[in-house]
Amino acid sequence: MSLIVFLPAFAALILAFFPKNTDANVFRYGTLAATLAVLVAAIVAFFFPGGLHFDASQAQLQNVELFSWISSEAFTIDYFMGIDGISFPLIVLTAGVSVLSMMAAWSITKQVKGFCILFLLLETGMLGVFLALDFFLFYIFWEVMLLPMYFLIGVWGGPRKEYAAIKFFLYTLFGSVLMLIAILMLYFSSDLNTLDEQTILSTHVVKTVIAGDGSLSAAEGAMESLRARGYTGTVGDKKVHTFNIMALAAMGQNGSGLFDTELLLGWKLQHWAFLLLFIGFAIKVPSVPVHTWLPDAHVEAPTPISMILAGILLKMGGYGILRICYPICPEAGYDFRWFVCTVGVISMVYGAFAALAQKDFKRLVAYSSVSHMGYVVLGLGVWSVGTSQGYNWEYWDMGIKGAMFQMIAHGVSSAGMFFMVGVVYDRVHHRNLEEFGGLYGKMPVYSGLAFAIFFAGLGLPGLCGFIGEVFVVLSVWNFSYLLAIISAAVVILTAGYILWALQRVYLGAEYKGPHEEALTPINSRELLVGSVIVFFAILFGIMPSLVLRYMDATIDHQAQTLTRVIQTIDENRAAAALDSSAESFDGMPTTTADQVNVRHPLNGIALTKPAPKMSAQNN
Amino acid sequence: MDLNSLVQSSIADTTGSLAPFAPELILCISIMGLLLIRLLPFGDRIDAGYLAAAAAAVALYFGGPWSSFVSPSAEPAELFGGMIVYDSFTVGIRALLLAFTILFVIFTKFSGMPGKEDATDFYCLILGAILGMCLMVSANHLLMVFLAVEMASVPSYVLAGVLRGNRLGSEAALKYSIYGAGAAGVMLYGISLLAGLTNTAHLPSIATQLSVIVPELSRPEQMVLMLATLMIMVGLAFKLSAVPFHFWCPDIFEGATAEIGAFLSIASKAAALALLVRVSLGVGVLGPDRITAADIPRPQIESSEESDDPNIAGRRTENSNATDVGLFAVADEVHSHAGDSSDPASSDSATTGLPLAPVRNFIGVLIAILATVTCTFGNLAAYGQTNIKRLFAYSTIAHAGYMMMPVPAALSLAAAHPESARDAVSAIVIYIAIYMFMNLSGFAVIAFLRNTLGTGEIADFAGLIRKAPMLVICFALIMFSLVGLPPLAGFVGKFALFASLADGYQLTGETHLIVLLVVGGINTAISLFYYLRVVKVMTIEPESELLSTHDTNVIGYVPLAFVVVTTVPIALWIVNWNQLAGWSSEAAQQLFG
């Protein structure tokens, strides 16, 4: 699996040794071959039995790679990668979109060598983000993407490329710095001692071997080295910290109260961590009001990079929220449910209205991304909501699956939309919606493909955009009628701006802009890219189970677990409220819930938990 | 105790102190050797640079953490009657300084900065300054603090103006020395106030004294104590170029050559930082040997100067070797409550240093404020710079801010969580080590470009990547590393540093630590902008007129190789920083109990 991640970087290294004046096609085909190799490797390795087989029926992590990386007194960092139902579809999407966008990169003629090298480094970063399960490693891959992206926009971009590139960089870096703060806070309050041995094994804190019947046991000497670090299995003075995302999630869910320390403003640590992480991811998604880098970056970036940006980079925000925010800080996610959902809905509405107002074809597509990614945030946010009918995890489950499907579908359709804009921009060198028209007559095949892709973006039933939106809207209905109605209404706005754009560009009697002579039918390379995208847009639209079957097990498992956690939290709160009201009734107001009997969320064992308190240190 | 035995014991102490002091002695001898060798007939033909590098290498060999010659015991020891402390921290930072000296001399050889005429003077001054810095790192007495600071500063003043006939350089040297003299004066005043208040200038004794007198201080006395701390901090802040004592820094860096910039920004800063750690921990924390004072039986010798305070028993410390009674009698007074020696439990409560908590807090908040202002100001002021050396000057100011950040964390953690405090100090050591490579290769690029292009204006570097792609890639890596972007080494440093703040905040709940963490994080994002601007000019903008007259590979292959070799660690350190982390935590090992 590391092979898949580092294959592009390795290819970049090889390309770096070719002299500068080598034929540009060598670099292009070399890069294309590398991205294809990643795609083939991902498909062969994960779909077919043997080796790195991915078993969709299992909820757990699979194909884990775990090595000790840094083990000093202050830090323990592992090189920890693995796939499950959440990351697997995104990996395949990344590999696929990379191939397509590299095929679209033939239009790049300036400094092809540098472009190809940076492109491959970017792919390594993207794959790494989806596979890394150690928080430190995750952060590194997260940032590794920034540099290539900056240069790809800054060097090969449009007229305002420098402004757009630095804006992208600053926004993302700001978000990731907040994320780093949250990571450190979580790390230093984590304690492996709250996890029993079975959980240690299932979260892969130590190296494990899988027995024939599928059960996990620790690899030789692995448990011993963990004990040497102070692991006893019982909570003591010494905390054993970890960056393991899975283990952190287990700590966040087991009712140990590790992340409940009260910090500034009386908020618990997990509320702060959730907020910081959420801002970091929301910048990437991007959600209103931190979305402003996106239209600039998209408009200025060259076509293949726009495809990558919209098709993959935006998905990292959603992935981060799903993988990190909710599992580690479930209570905070529960408390912030209205906040998250509102952010999602505002993004949808704002993005749609902004798209309606655009004159620039690419900017319109960019704002449509803001709007579409709003569905993702909403679908994920709905997740942490209990309904009046009790705690039914299936509604939440549907929201997450809708969000995940929306990410995949948007990855296909938005990459396609940007490609379609790029094709016409390569010919006439402008994107002004007012100066198009009549393209259908001049480029019939291209226009046909474009119609299909834009309809997929619109969410027409039978195409890929529909499924995700319907899932999300249906699950929101159970949370809030108002939000559900608004989000359903956004579909009308979406239809409005997409149909209007199609009308202005492709229909009409004649072409109104400059360079009319350049409007030649698309060549076979463009046809190939376009038809592959259309093929998948239709395929996912009529057979959503193709995608859903890979994520079902993992997401069901996560939704069920977290539902129980939320339920416990609610019950505890009700009990505490009851206690305190009873006590204040007795006239003993202050010494409330210092010792609240809480139920262990996962197995229902009652355990006594001291109320969260700042570790008092008075000197 | 008669005079004879006093002399005997101080001779024994001095000779016993010589072995761990060997690296400094080697430096002294080689400075004299460098000066005298010119008198010999063949002296002209010997290159002073190689001699200096060899001297540093020999000193490193004898002074490094691997050398059994200087570290006979694992215990920290006080040398020369308590003037100097010799522990893992001394060894660690001193090794860094000496290693830097070697790299620096090699760098000057490639850049050809001191001409043949000046070479001897130049390298003598460098070695002299390094000698002073080694003393700064190990200073254990306020007098020594002052002497070491001056010893490091005076050669630096000269170095700033070493290029003859360079008006800017001379102006810089003058500014530097006037500023330095002022700061030194203020610091000396602070030292005398503190010494007057506590009757001693020996740092650990000051801590023990303070722990007794602080709870009983009257209001004016408290003011005096605060004033003294502030004034000492002024001197240290000057060496660190912390805001508001940074004004000299951009002028010096612009006026002096890039080589001197590299030297001042790395060696001087590292030593000043180490001294800051020494002084603040020395004053604010009871020394490790005192913490266990109650448990370890040791000979009790009556101090020659009886204190009026019944709480202060004149008591020998373990490692001052019964020699300096007459000299530093007050220094030996150890805070020890009468009942403590038999009762470890109650001595435990004494070891948490509760009486010192306000002192620690005051120093911690003071440094936190300094760090915040320094970091923010440095980053903001760097925006407007058009000269690459001035930009780097502000960058070093900002980095001084970052590097000061773990000190408040260490202070807050020192009493109750010594292990975490150690991690905080080791974060500083990690940062210094990485910063050394980043700034050295950064200034190397600047110096090499100056040699061929004769300019330091950022605009003149436009489009450099088309002429010298490898150089620009290296320089971009250095710049991004200075921002602290993973996977470059700068991130490792920043990560360790921020981690110590987060740890400190969670363990102690001190608000100023979380503020520092947030400030550090936001500053990282701000700093991106100006570093990136330089990279942008070099890569994205069209070629400048100046460059179009030059061949490809503007600076020549040998300098390029030097840049590449010093950049490789920056790019690859993240793959395995286990050694660095382990080594730095070893260096910080003995600072806390």
Side-chain angles (χ1 to χ4, degrees):
Chain A
M1 201 155 50
S2 295
L3 189 77
I4 293 177
V5 174
F6 289 106
L7 196 136
F10 186 65
L13 193 68
I14 294 175
L15 285 184
F17 283 108
F18 279 88
K20 216 195 225 159
N21 47 12
T22 317
D23 183 20
N25 273 336
V26 173
F27 294 118
R28 286 174 184 153
Y29 280 112
T31 314
L32 186 61
T35 52
L36 263 177
V38 171
L39 181 64
V40 170
I43 290 173
V44 170
F46 295 138
F47 279 96
F48 293 100
L52 293 170
H53 178 51
F54 176 73
D55 182 356
S57 65
Q58 288 194 358
Q60 300 94 341
L61 280 182
Q62 298 171 36
N63 299 317
V64 169
E65 281 185 13
L66 177 69
F67 305 101
S68 175
W69 181 12
I70 303 300
S71 53
S72 71
E73 281 176 44
F75 309 106
T76 311
I77 300 166
D78 291 326
Y79 177 87
F80 176 28
M81 288 189 174
I83 49 168
D84 63 3
I86 300 175
S87 48
F88 176 69
L90 291 168
I91 298 283
V92 178
L93 176 77
T94 307
V97 172
S98 296
V99 172
L100 291 176
S101 51
M102 191 56 223
M103 285 170 73
W106 252 254
S107 53
I108 303 280
T109 48
K110 190 175 86 172
Q111 290 164 317
V112 178
K113 179 184 175 187
F115 180 88
C116 289
I117 291 174
L118 289 171
F119 186 91
L120 289 169
L121 289 179
L122 180 68
E123 194 182 358
T124 289
M126 295 186 301
L127 291 168
V129 166
F130 290 131
L131 284 172
L133 289 168
D134 184 278
F135 228 148
F136 186 86
L137 190 65
F138 175 85
Y139 186 78
I140 288 190
F141 279 121
W142 181 272
E143 298 274 284
V144 160
M145 296 172 328
L146 292 186
L147 282 180
M149 205 51 173
Y150 170 77
F151 286 108
L152 286 169
I153 299 176
V155 178
W156 288 272
R160 287 168 71 234
K161 58 191 179 183
E162 289 167 18
Y163 170 77
I166 194 133
K167 196 169 177 184
F168 160 78
F169 206 155
L170 274 178
Y171 264 78
T172 322
L173 186 68
F174 182 75
S176 48
V177 162
L178 295 183
M179 202 160 93
L180 180 64
I181 295 176
I183 292 175
L184 288 169
M185 302 298 270
L186 288 173
Y187 174 76
F188 282 110
S189 48
S190 65
D191 186 0
L192 284 176
N193 280 325
T194 57
L195 303 179
D196 57 23
E197 212 156 300
Q198 196 48 47
T199 321
I200 293 275
L201 290 179
S202 67
T203 56
H204 299 276
V205 174
V206 296
K207 230 182 188 134
T208 51
V209 285
I210 306 171
D213 59 343
S215 63
L216 287 172
S217 58
E220 202 176 325
M223 241 17 220
E224 284 68 29
S225 61
L226 184 67
R227 291 221 166 79
R229 281 173 52 203
Y231 175 74
T232 53
T234 49
V235 182
D237 289 342
K238 187 170 162 39
K239 285 185 173 181
V240 184
H241 303 314
T242 183
F243 276 115
N244 182 316
I245 292 177
M246 293 296 157
L248 286 173
M251 288 170 209
Q253 294 167 12
N254 68 5
S256 56
L258 279 179
F259 304 145
D260 291 344
T261 327
E262 266 182 45
L263 302 181
L264 298 176
L265 301 180
W267 285 15
K268 289 180 182 174
L269 179 123
Q270 59 169 305
H271 289 82
W272 279 112
F274 183 90
L275 198 66
L276 292 175
L277 289 168
F278 183 76
I279 294 174
F281 293 132
I283 288 176
K284 204 81 178 183
V285 165
S287 298
V288 177
V290 284
H291 66 288
T292 56
W293 63 268
L294 180 104
D296 287 314
H298 268 315
V299 169
E300 300 306 326
T303 304
I305 301 310
S306 291
M307 291 168 72
I308 293 267
L309 255 177
I312 307 170
L313 251 69
L314 305 191
K315 311 299 172 288
M316 288 173 182
Y319 172 78
I321 294 173
L322 179 57
R323 165 76 79 202
I324 293 168
C325 283
Y326 283 106
I328 297 182
C329 314
E331 190 185 342
Y334 182 55
D335 289 342
F336 287 135
R337 59 191 184 274
W338 280 100
F339 170 69
V340 173
C341 290
T342 314
V343 164
V345 170
I346 289 178
S347 303
M348 286 158 61
V349 176
Y350 181 90
F353 273 115
L356 267 176
Q358 297 311 317
K359 294 257 184 294
D360 182 318
F361 200 3
K362 217 171 175 184
R363 238 184 150 77
L364 177 138
V365 179
Y367 274 108
S368 85
S369 282
V370 175
S371 177
H372 282 134
M373 290 306 285
Y375 281 102
V376 175
V377 175
L378 180 63
L380 296 173
V382 154
W383 203 31
S384 47
V385 171
T387 62
S388 51
Q389 294 102 34
Y391 295 88
N392 190 341
W393 62 272
E394 282 169 341
Y395 294 121
W396 313 1
D397 196 42
M398 196 154 99
I400 307 166
K401 281 182 191 161
M404 273 296 289
F405 194 89
Q406 174 77 354
M407 289 208 268
I408 304 291
H410 181 253
V412 173
S413 66
S414 70
M417 287 196 272
F418 277 114
F419 177 68
M420 288 299 152
V421 177
V423 165
V424 65
Y425 180 75
D426 284 343
R427 285 172 172 68
V428 297
H429 300 286
H430 79 92
R431 292 185 302 258
N432 189 348
L433 281 171
E434 307 291 334
E435 295 185 350
F436 284 116
L439 258 57
Y440 194 63
K442 295 184 185 301
M443 305 167 71
V445 181
Y446 160 74
S447 302
L449 292 174
F451 275 128
I453 290 173
F454 278 90
F455 280 138
L458 186 155
L460 203 68
L463 293 169
C464 63
F466 175 68
I467 314 289
E469 289 175 18
V470 163
F471 270 42
V472 170
V473 173
L474 284 180
S475 72
V476 176
W477 186 256
N478 262 295
F479 170 48
S480 153
Y481 297 142
L482 179 69
L483 291 183
I485 292 169
I486 297 177
S487 55
V490 168
V491 176
I492 301 172
L493 287 176
T494 313
Y497 66 75
I498 286 194
L499 291 177
W500 193 29
L502 288 179
Q503 182 193 338
R504 280 183 289 178
V505 175
Y506 299 102
L507 305 179
E510 57 177 6
Y511 177 72
K512 287 180 286 225
H515 303 297
E516 191 174 353
E517 70 289 350
L519 285 171
T520 50
I522 53 174
N523 59 32
S524 52
R525 178 181 57 83
E526 290 162 342
L527 179 66
L528 181 62
V529 177
S531 41
V532 167
I533 293 174
V534 170
F535 171 73
F536 279 105
I538 297 172
L539 184 70
F540 292 159
I542 52 180
M543 286 183 69
S545 61
L546 265 183
V547 180
L548 290 173
R549 59 182 285 245
Y550 291 104
M551 56 180 92
D552 272 345
T554 309
I555 293 181
D556 287 352
H557 176 74
Q558 191 165 330
Q560 284 180 36
T561 318
L562 284 165
T563 310
R564 279 198 294 266
V565 173
I566 299 292
Q567 195 171 353
T568 319
I569 291 171
D570 262 355
E571 285 168 11
N572 289 337
R573 284 189 182 168
L578 212 63
D579 277 5
S580 62
S581 65
E583 280 175 20
S584 59
F585 185 71
D586 290 344
M588 306 191 307
T590 49
T591 58
T592 54
D594 229 11
Q595 293 267 307
V596 185
N597 261 344
V598 295
R599 276 201 326 159
H600 190 286
L602 296 186
N603 49 21
I605 306 167
L607 49 88
T608 307
K609 184 186 79 170
K613 218 176 357 182
M614 195 71 220
S615 64
Q617 163 65 55
N618 48 1
N619 53 9
Chain B
M1 186 175 283
D2 57 24
L3 185 67
N4 191 30
S5 67
L6 197 64
V7 171
Q8 285 303 324
S9 64
S10 61
I11 287 174
D13 173 49
T14 309
T15 48
S17 302
L18 286 181
F21 198 59
E24 283 87 348
L25 292 178
I26 293 170
L27 287 181
C28 288
I29 293 168
S30 42
I31 291 172
M32 287 193 283
L34 274 178
L35 288 173
L36 292 177
I37 206 162
R38 279 194 288 195
L39 301 179
L40 298 176
F42 54 87
D44 298 347
R45 271 169 287 159
I46 294 175
D47 194 312
Y50 293 122
L51 274 183
V58 174
L60 181 62
Y61 173 75
F62 284 112
W66 51 80
S67 164
S68 60
F69 183 68
V70 288
S71 46
S73 71
E75 288 290 305
E78 291 187 333
L79 306 183
F80 300 112
M83 294 304 266
I84 281 179
V85 64
Y86 173 78
D87 59 9
S88 55
F89 191 64
T90 309
V91 175
I93 302 282
R94 192 170 61 183
L96 270 183
L97 285 173
L98 292 171
F100 167 72
T101 316
I102 300 173
L103 282 176
F104 177 74
V105 172
I106 297 173
F107 162 43
T108 54
K109 281 282 134 203
F110 286 133
S111 79
M113 204 296 275
K116 187 127 181 58
E117 296 277 293
D118 294 331
T120 311
D121 302 336
F122 182 83
Y123 291 114
C124 275
L125 290 167
I126 292 285
L127 287 185
I130 287 286
L131 178 61
M133 288 165 192
C134 287
L135 292 177
M136 275 164 84
V137 173
S138 52
N140 196 36
H141 193 281
L142 284 179
L143 268 182
M144 206 61 219
V145 170
F146 180 74
L147 282 177
V149 166
E150 285 305 288
M151 208 163 158
S153 296
V154 173
S156 310
Y157 303 152
V158 185
L159 280 172
V162 80
L163 221 55
R164 267 176 297 212
N166 180 348
R167 291 180 64 96
L168 263 181
S170 312
E171 185 191 328
L174 187 67
K175 269 186 196 160
Y176 192 16
S177 50
I178 290 175
Y179 252 108
V186 174
M187 186 179 177
L188 196 57
Y189 196 1
I191 287 176
S192 55
L193 282 182
L194 189 59
L197 202 67
T198 56
N199 294 330
T200 172
H202 178 239
L203 285 174
S205 313
I206 290 179
T208 49
Q209 269 285 12
L210 283 177
S211 69
V212 177
I213 62 173
V214 161
E216 299 153 9
L217 280 184
S218 64
R219 188 127 189 93
E221 282 172 323
Q222 281 177 10
M223 292 298 291
V224 171
L225 181 61
M226 282 164 138
L227 197 63
T229 322
L230 262 177
M231 286 175 149
I232 295 178
M233 211 53 86
V234 168
L236 295 177
F238 167 78
K239 287 303 286 178
L240 274 168
S241 66
V243 177
F245 308 101
H246 67 286
F247 293 107
W248 59 273
C249 187
D251 290 343
I252 308 293
F253 277 49
E254 194 186 7
T257 59
E259 288 82 352
I260 301 305
F263 184 76
L264 290 181
S265 72
I266 300 166
S268 185
K269 204 145 281 185
L273 208 62
L275 186 62
L276 181 73
V277 171
R278 277 260 182 256
V279 172
S280 52
L281 290 180
V283 171
V285 184
L286 297 174
D289 49 326
R290 275 90 184 169
I291 287 178
T292 51
D295 307 330
I296 302 169
R298 58 171 72 100
Q300 294 221 8
I301 297 170
E302 282 298 305
S303 168
S304 61
E305 188 181 319
E306 280 293 340
S307 170
D308 292 336
D309 192 332
N311 278 338
I312 301 173
R315 204 166 177 211
R316 303 289 317 158
T317 61
E318 182 177 33
N319 39 27
S320 46
N321 291 337
T323 53
D324 47 351
V325 178
L327 292 170
F328 301 106
V330 197
D332 297 324
E333 294 171 358
V334 173
H335 169 224
S336 152
H337 290 280
D340 279 0
S341 31
S342 58
D343 187 358
S346 68
S347 88
D348 251 24
S349 68
T351 57
T352 54
L354 274 178
L356 277 181
V359 178
R360 269 203 297 278
N361 212 21
F362 178 71
I363 302 178
V365 173
L366 187 66
I367 296 178
I369 293 171
L370 262 184
T372 308
V373 177
T374 305
C375 193
T376 314
F377 178 85
N379 279 327
L380 291 180
Y383 271 83
Q385 303 310 321
T386 55
N387 183 301
I388 186 90
K389 285 199 284 184
R390 267 190 106 80
L391 183 128
F392 257 75
Y394 283 109
S395 143
T396 62
I397 292 174
H399 276 274
Y402 291 127
M403 286 193 267
M404 282 153 77
M405 284 178 181
V407 181
L411 279 168
S412 306
L413 289 164
H417 308 278
E419 283 192 9
S420 299
R422 187 162 60 225
D423 291 339
V425 176
S426 83
I428 302 181
V429 180
I430 291 180
Y431 206 101
I432 292 177
I434 290 169
Y435 187 67
M436 177 171 102
F437 279 94
M438 295 194 292
N439 250 24
L440 185 67
S441 38
F443 274 106
V445 172
I446 296 173
F448 296 144
L449 282 175
R450 172 209 62 203
N451 283 353
T452 39
L453 301 180
T455 173
E457 293 302 313
I458 296 171
D460 289 334
F461 301 146
L464 187 63
I465 192 165
R466 289 175 197 74
K467 291 283 177 178
M470 198 64 199
L471 179 73
V472 172
I473 290 172
C474 285
F475 195 67
L477 287 178
I478 296 160
M479 291 306 235
F480 289 127
S481 182
L482 284 168
V483 180
L485 285 182
L488 302 166
F491 172 69
V492 173
K494 275 224 170 109
F495 177 77
L497 203 139
F498 289 168
S500 73
L501 288 172
D503 195 17
Y505 174 60
Q506 297 209 328
L507 288 174
T508 64
E510 297 280 3
T511 321
H512 63 267
L513 296 183
I514 188 75
V515 172
L516 271 183
L517 180 59
V518 173
V519 166
I522 291 175
N523 264 297
T524 304
I526 306 179
S527 70
L528 171 77
F529 195 80
Y530 64 88
Y531 289 120
L532 199 57
R533 191 167 55 96
V534 182
V535 177
K536 185 199 80 180
V537 168
M538 286 185 172
T539 53
I540 298 180
E541 289 191 359
E543 221 165 275
S544 72
E545 279 178 32
L546 184 70
L547 273 175
S548 52
T549 57
H550 283 270
D551 298 337
T552 48
N553 184 334
V554 176
I555 62 169
Y557 286 102
V558 177
L560 181 65
F562 179 80
V563 173
V564 172
V565 166
T566 46
T567 311
V568 164
I570 296 173
L572 295 182
W573 219 325
I574 189 107
V575 176
N576 190 353
W577 47 289
N578 246 334
Q579 267 82 22
L580 180 67
W583 177 80
S584 63
S585 100
E586 233 168 68
Q589 190 72 32
Q590 293 174 351
L591 281 177
F592 306 92

